[in-house]
C-alpha cells in the first residue's frame, strides 16, 4: 500500500471509531427538551420549499457529471478491492487526490445513494435538500448562542428562505454539503469549550469538506476565528494542534495542488494562466456574492436588489447586537474566503460565487444582528420587507423560470421526431451526457468539431476548409441531422459549425429552450 493509501486508511478508521465514540457519548448525555414550535414550523417550511422545487429545473451538465463521476469512481474502487484490500485503499487514495475532480467524496457518496433511491431528478437532488434543512437547524442552534434570540430566529429565517441556499439545496452537487460540513465543524469547535475532543471532531468535518471540494480550505481560517474568538491559552494550543492535523490530512491534495499554483523555473513563481473561467475583479466578485446572497441566481431583479440585505450585513458587522469579537469572527467567515479566492484569481481565474456558498450563513447572521440593532418595530418591519422582497422574487424566479439549460425539453422534442438513420449532432459535444440522461434510447450521435483552439502564434488551428472536411465526413450518408446547440461559443467562437449547416442543409424546424436550441436539417447534397 502506498504512503498516501496508508494515511487515508488510518484516517478513515480513526474517523469512524472517533465519530462512533462521540455519538455514543452524546446519546448518554442527551436530555430531551421542549422544542421551539416556531423553529419546527420553519424547518418544515424550509423542507417543503426545497422538495417542492426539486424537479422544477432540468438537470444541467455538472449534475449529470456528478452522477457519471460517482458511477465511474465507484466502479474503479470496487474493481481495486476485488484485487485486494491493499490495492483498494491505494486506488481510493489515488482517486481522492486525483486532479480534475476538485474532491470526489461527494460523487462517491451520491452514487451510493443512487443505488438505493434511483437516478431520477428527485432522487439525485434530494440529499442536497435534506442537507439544506439540516443547515437551517444547525445554524439556529449555533447562532442563538451568540445572538439575541430574535436575531437568531431571523438568521434561521434567512437560512431557510435564502434563494441562494435554496437553489443549491435543489442541485445534485456538493454545495449544500459544504454548508452543512462547515456548520458541523463550527458546532464541534463550540463543543471543544467543554470537551477538547471537539477539535478532533472539527478536523473530521474539515477533512470531509476538503475531499468534497478543494476550495473548502479557504474556510479553515474562518473556523479557527470562530473557535478562538473567546478562547483561553489552552484552547489556542489545541487549535494549533487541530490546524496541524488538518494540514496532515490535506497532504494528499497538496501534493498536486501546490504544483498547480507554483512552478520552478530558476526559482519559485506563480503558475498563472487561463482556466476557462472569466477574470473577475475583487470588487466585482464581492458584488456577485452580495447579489447571490440577496436575490439568488436570477439576474432579472432591479439593480437595487442587493442593497437592503447588504446594508443590514454591514450594519451588523459594525454595530450589530452581538459581542464585538463574535462579529469580527463573522466578518472573517464572510469575507476572508472571498479575499483569498480573489487573490488566487488575480493569477488563475477561479472566482465563482457557488464556491463560496459556505460564507452565506455568516452574511445572514450579520444581517440578522444588524436588523436587531434597528430601534422600533415599524423600522424593523420596513427593513425586513425591503430584504424579503428581493428574496421572494428571486425564489419565485427560480421556481417558475427555466434558468438551467433545458435538456429535458430538448430530448422530448427530438424523441418525438427521431427516426433510425437520423444523426444527432452535439455542439458543444460534452452536452451529450445530459441529453443521454433524458433521451434513454439508441441513436446515432456525433460531436461537432471544436474550432476554438489556437496555435502558439495566436492564430486558429482549424480553418473553414478543415471544418468543411470534418462536417462532410460526419454528415455524409444522413438525410436528417438534429443539431443540439448549447454553449457553443466555448468550442466554436466563430460559429463555423452552425453556419456550415445553414449553408449546406435546409433548416426544417427549430426549437428554442433555456440555453439549448434544437435544429432539424434536411436536404444535404454533398459531392
Amino acid at each position: 500500500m502506498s504512503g498516501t493509501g496508508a494515511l487515508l486508511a488510518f484516517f478513515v478508521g480513526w474517523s469512524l471509531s472517533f465519530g462512533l465514540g462521540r455519538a455514543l457519548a452524546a446519546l448518554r448525555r442527551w436530555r430531551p427538551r421542549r422544542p421551539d414550535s416556531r423553529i419546527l414550523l420553519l424547518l418544515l417550511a424550509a423542507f417543503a420549499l426545497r422538495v417542492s422545487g426539486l424537479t422544477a429545473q432540468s438537470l444541467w451538465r455538472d449534475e449529470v457529471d456528478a452522477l457519471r463521476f460517482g458511477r465511474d469512481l465507484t466502479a474503479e474502487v470496487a474493481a481495486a478491492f476485488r484485487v485486494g484490500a491493499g490495492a483498494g485503499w491505494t486506488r481510493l487514495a489515488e482517486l481522492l487526490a486525483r486532479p480534475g475532480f476538485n474532491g470526489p467524496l461527494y460523487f462517491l457518496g451520491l452514487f451510493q445513494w443512487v443505488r438505493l433511491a434511483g437516478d431520477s431528478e428527485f432522487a439525485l437532488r434530494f440529499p442536497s435538500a435534506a442537507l439544506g434543512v439540516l443547515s437551517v437547524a444547525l445554524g439556529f442552534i449555533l447562532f442563538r448562542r451568540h445572538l439575541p434570540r430574535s436575531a437568531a430566529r431571523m438568521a434561521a429565517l434567512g437560512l431557510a428562505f435564502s434563494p441562494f441556499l435554496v437553489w443549491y439545496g435543489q442541485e445534485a452537487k456538493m454545495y449544500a454539503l459544504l454548508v452543512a460540513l462547515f456548520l458541523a465543524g463550527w458546532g464541534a469547535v463550540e463543543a471543544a469549550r467543554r470537551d477538547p475532543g471537539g477539535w478532533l471532531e472539527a478536523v473530521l468535518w474539515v477533512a470531509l469538506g476538503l475531499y468534497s471540494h478543494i476550495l473548502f480550505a479557504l474556510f479553515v481560517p474562518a473556523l479557527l476565528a470562530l473557535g478562538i474568538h473567546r478562547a483561553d491559552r489552552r484552547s489556542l494550543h489545541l487549535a494549533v494542534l487541530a490546524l496541524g492535523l488538518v494540514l496532515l490530512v490535506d497532504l494528499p491534495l497538496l501534493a498536486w495542488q501546490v504544483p498547480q499554483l507554483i512552478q520552478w523555473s530558476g526559482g519559485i513563481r506563480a503558475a498563472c494562466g487561463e482556466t476557462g473561467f472569466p477574470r473577475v475583479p475583487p470588487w466585482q466578485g464581492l458584488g456577485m456574492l452580495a447579489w447571490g446572497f440577496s436575490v439568488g441566481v436570477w439576474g432579472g431583479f432591479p439593480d437595487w436588489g442587493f442593497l437592503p440585505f447588504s446594508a443590514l450585513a454591514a450594519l451588523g458587522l459594525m454595530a450589530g447586537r452581538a459581542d464585538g469579537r463574535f462579529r469580527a469572527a463573522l466578518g472573517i467567515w464572510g469575507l476572508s474566503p472571498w479575499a483569498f479566492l480573489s487573490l488566487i484569481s488575480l493569477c488563475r481565474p477561479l472566482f465563482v460565487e457557488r464556491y463560496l456558498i459556505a460564507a452565506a450563513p455568516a452574511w445572514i447572521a450579520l444581517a440578522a444582528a444588524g436588523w436587531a440593532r434597528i430601534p422600533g418595530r415599524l423600522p424593523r418591519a420596513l427593513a425586513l420587507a425591503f430584504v424579503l422582497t428581493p428574496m421572494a422574487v428571486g425564489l419565485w424566479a427560480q421556481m417558475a423560470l427555466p434558468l438551467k439549460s433545458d435538456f429535458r425539453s430538448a430530448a422530448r422534442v427530438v424523441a418525438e421526431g427521431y427516426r433510425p438513420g437520423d444523426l444527432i449532432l452535439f455542439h458543444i459535444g460534452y452536452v451529450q451526457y445530459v441529453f443521454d440522461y433524458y433521451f434513454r434510447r439508441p441513436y446515432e450521435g456525433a460531436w461537432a468539431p471544436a474550432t476554438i483552439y489556437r496555435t502558439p502564434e495566436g492564430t486558429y488551428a482549424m480553418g473553414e476548409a478543415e471544418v468543411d472536411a470534418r462536417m462532410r465526413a460526419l454528415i455524409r450518408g444522413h438525410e436528417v441531422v438534429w443539431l443540439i446547440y448549447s454553449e457553443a461559443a466555448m468550442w466554436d467562437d466563430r460559429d463555423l459549425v452552425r453556419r456550415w449547416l445553414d449553408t449546406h442543409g435546409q433548416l426544417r424546424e427549430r426549437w428554442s429552450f433555456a440555453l439549448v436550441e434544437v435544429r432539424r436539417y434536411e436536404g444535404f447534397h454533398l459531392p
Side-chain angles (χ1 to χ4, degrees):
M1 185 185 302
S2 69
T4 301
L7 176 62
L8 284 175
F10 168 78
F11 174 70
V12 170
W14 168 77
S15 299
L16 291 174
S17 60
F18 176 78
L20 180 61
R22 295 277 294 178
L24 292 175
L27 286 174
R28 288 197 303 269
R29 294 194 303 266
W30 181 66
R31 297 291 185 273
R33 296 181 180 179
R34 184 177 180 181
D36 188 325
S37 59
R38 284 172 287 189
I39 295 300
L40 287 178
L41 289 174
L42 184 63
L43 292 175
L44 288 174
F47 180 77
L49 178 63
R50 285 158 175 79
V51 170
S52 63
L54 282 183
T55 60
Q57 302 282 339
S58 171
L59 295 178
W60 74 299
R61 54 185 171 84
D62 271 19
E63 293 178 281
V64 174
D65 278 350
L67 175 61
R68 291 177 50 242
F69 294 164
R71 178 192 63 223
D72 296 344
L73 295 173
T74 299
E76 288 189 48
V77 173
F81 271 104
R82 284 195 292 269
V83 174
W89 283 113
T90 299
R91 189 58 174 161
L92 178 60
E94 292 172 353
L95 294 177
L96 289 175
R98 178 191 288 178
F101 287 101
N102 295 332
L105 193 60
Y106 172 82
F107 305 141
L108 291 166
L110 177 67
F111 191 69
Q112 310 321 306
W113 165 256
V114 165
R115 285 176 160 177
L116 296 173
D119 66 350
S120 67
E121 293 171 327
F122 189 93
L124 284 171
R125 289 167 168 169
F126 184 82
S128 293
L131 289 165
V133 178
L134 175 62
S135 294
V136 178
L138 288 173
F140 173 71
I141 291 170
L142 292 166
F143 286 137
R144 74 177 179 179
R145 298 180 182 180
H146 301 278
L147 298 175
R149 193 168 186 85
S150 60
R153 285 176 177 155
M154 195 57 60
L157 180 72
L159 292 171
F161 292 100
S162 164
F164 199 74
L165 294 179
V166 170
W167 178 264
Y168 289 105
Q170 296 173 331
E171 182 165 286
K173 290 286 287 181
M174 74 290 291
Y175 302 112
L177 172 64
L178 298 180
V179 178
L181 287 175
F182 184 91
L183 292 173
W186 181 23
V189 169
E190 288 284 321
R193 302 186 194 283
R194 304 181 307 274
D195 178 4
W199 283 107
L200 291 177
E201 184 180 341
V203 172
L204 170 61
W205 297 122
V206 170
L208 292 175
L210 291 172
Y211 284 93
S212 296
H213 200 288
I214 56 173
L215 290 180
F216 193 76
L218 299 177
F219 289 90
V220 172
L223 198 59
L224 288 173
L226 289 167
I228 66 177
H229 77 274
R230 58 178 187 181
D232 54 23
R233 180 175 298 179
R234 178 168 176 264
S235 297
L236 291 175
H237 291 163
L238 290 173
V240 172
L241 177 62
L243 180 60
L245 287 174
V246 168
L247 292 174
L248 177 65
V249 170
D250 197 33
L251 280 178
L253 291 175
L254 291 174
W256 67 266
Q257 289 173 340
V258 172
Q260 290 288 317
L261 294 176
I262 61 174
Q263 59 188 5
W264 178 265
S265 180
I268 296 177
R269 63 186 180 89
C272 296
E274 298 303 320
T275 60
F277 291 103
R279 290 192 175 273
V280 177
W283 289 112
Q284 181 184 345
L286 186 63
M288 291 164 62
L289 272 186
W291 182 272
F293 296 161
S294 305
V295 185
V297 301
W298 182 58
F301 197 84
D303 292 343
W304 61 265
F306 74 98
L307 292 176
F309 176 83
S310 302
L312 281 184
L315 176 61
L317 179 61
M318 293 184 293
R321 286 196 60 195
D323 177 76
R325 289 176 295 178
F326 179 64
R327 286 188 280 113
L330 286 178
I332 293 172
W333 176 8
L335 295 176
S336 66
W338 156 76
F340 290 140
L341 188 56
S342 295
L343 184 63
I344 294 171
S345 296
L346 292 176
C347 174
R348 295 176 63 82
L350 288 174
F351 194 93
V352 180
E353 306 100 293
R354 60 181 179 270
Y355 292 167
L356 303 181
I357 188 172
W363 285 57
I364 291 170
L366 286 171
W371 172 84
R373 175 60 67 186
I374 298 175
R377 291 186 176 182
L378 181 58
R380 282 190 186 182
L382 290 174
L384 186 60
F386 276 113
V387 170
L388 291 182
T389 297
M391 283 190 173
V393 176
L395 284 171
W396 167 83
Q398 292 172 187
M399 293 282 290
L401 304 178
L403 302 180
K404 293 184 179 181
S405 49
D406 190 3
F407 284 96
R408 180 167 53 197
S409 298
R412 185 182 302 122
V413 300
V414 176
E416 292 173 354
Y418 180 81
R419 298 293 181 269
D422 294 356
L423 175 68
I424 302 179
L425 187 65
F426 297 94
H427 198 44
I428 62 174
Y430 199 78
V431 300
Q432 180 178 5
Y433 300 117
V434 195
F435 181 85
D436 288 350
Y437 173 87
Y438 287 107
F439 198 65
R440 304 206 181 198
R441 56 184 281 195
Y443 68 92
E444 185 176 353
W447 290 22
T451 70
I452 200 169
Y453 299 110
R454 296 175 181 262
T455 65
E457 293 74 28
T459 60
Y460 284 102
M462 185 182 298
E464 294 189 22
E466 186 174 351
V467 172
D468 178 70
R470 293 195 181 193
M471 291 298 294
R472 287 175 182 274
L474 289 173
I475 301 303
R476 187 171 286 113
H478 298 282
E479 293 293 329
V480 176
V481 174
W482 299 81
L483 175 65
I484 311 299
Y485 191 76
S486 178
E487 302 179 275
M490 293 174 62
W491 282 14
D492 185 17
D493 56 350
R494 293 169 290 172
D495 206 17
L496 298 181
V497 169
R498 187 185 59 80
R499 286 164 46 195
W500 188 95
L501 289 168
D502 288 341
T503 300
H504 294 85
Q506 300 176 21
L507 179 62
R508 296 300 189 188
E509 294 179 278
R510 174 184 174 186
W511 299 265
S512 292
F513 307 105
L515 303 177
V516 184
E517 188 175 294
V518 178
R519 291 173 166 237
R520 183 176 179 273
Y521 290 92
E522 293 181 1
F524 291 95
H525 301 288
L526 305 178

